[in-house]
Amino acid sequence: MSRDVLATDRLRLRELDERRDSAFVLELLTDPSFLRHIGDRGVRDLDSARDYIRNGPRASYAQHGFGLWMVQARASGEALGLCGLLQRDSLPAPDIGYAFLPRHWSRGYAREACAAVRDHALGALKLPRLLAIVAPDNAASIRVLEHLGLRFERTFVNEAGEALHLYALDAAAAPRG
């Protein structure tokens, strides 16, 4: 069963459910834009999508109290993407992560969902710092992060050998809303 976490004027963010959301996760994680900008998560079929939800987001909810959440349109209930917080072993603070299906791009959903997650992270969860990682050539995501108040901190090479940009926002400097 999934529970609601956040809501905005147009969006509802809720916990992922293995049975209910596996088809959407399969579609999103195998989309060419996801594979290009985020990477291959090994999801190939409904069983591996259920495993991804169970061992990724749901395990994170239990361990950290946050994770990636389903983003749905409030009016229609249509699944649009994922947005939430990730605690990576390779980073010193949680980072905001998001992905939307291309048919939902350029409508402000990423900005709206990410702003709600930022405010939740720094407000309700009282995180002192929020990070984000992004491929240097992902200009649209960089614009979203900068709109949220995150600023470029440095370039680093991840465990897969990819150069990524690290963005950061300290709670004291965070815009709200």
Side-chain angles (χ1 to χ4, degrees):
M1 197 63 184
S2 61
R3 70 175 183 88
D4 284 0
V5 178
L6 299 168
T8 69
D9 289 343
R10 299 185 301 159
L11 306 174
R12 170 182 174 228
L13 282 73
R14 64 167 176 79
E15 290 182 349
L16 285 158
D17 178 86
E18 295 164 38
R19 293 178 307 273
R20 180 177 173 186
D21 299 321
S22 57
F24 177 80
V25 166
L26 175 61
E27 181 183 5
L28 180 65
L29 273 62
T30 58
D31 185 85
S33 65
F34 186 97
L35 294 168
R36 177 173 178 252
H37 292 293
I38 298 172
D40 188 347
R41 298 297 184 253
V43 173
R44 304 282 184 269
D45 53 30
L46 289 174
D47 285 337
S48 57
R50 283 189 282 274
D51 288 344
Y52 172 85
I53 293 168
R54 184 181 320 109
N55 298 322
R58 297 224 43 99
S60 184
Y61 307 153
Q63 184 175 359
H64 304 293
F66 56 76
L68 286 174
W69 299 303
M70 171 67 76
V71 180
Q72 293 178 287
R74 283 181 72 173
S76 67
E78 181 180 7
L80 308 172
L82 301 177
C83 186
L85 298 167
L86 299 144
Q87 181 65 62
R88 300 177 201 268
D89 293 338
S90 59
L91 294 176
D95 71 293
I96 192 165
Y98 57 94
F100 289 81
L101 287 171
R103 66 179 173 266
H104 301 300
W105 291 358
S106 301
R107 296 182 185 173
Y109 294 140
R111 281 186 178 193
E112 189 173 331
C114 288
V117 169
R118 175 203 58 203
D119 293 348
H120 180 71
L122 301 177
L125 298 178
K126 300 196 183 319
L127 297 178
R129 192 155 207 250
L130 185 60
L131 302 176
I133 55 176
V134 63
D137 66 343
N138 192 342
S141 284
I142 289 170
R143 283 192 302 275
V144 169
L145 297 175
E146 290 176 342
H147 175 80
L148 295 171
L150 283 92
R151 297 292 172 242
F152 175 80
E153 195 162 89
R154 64 183 167 89
T155 299
F156 72 100
V157 177
N158 69 6
E159 55 279 350
E162 303 165 308
L164 297 172
H165 286 180
L166 179 70
Y167 281 71
L169 176 64
D170 291 320
R176 299 298 162 121

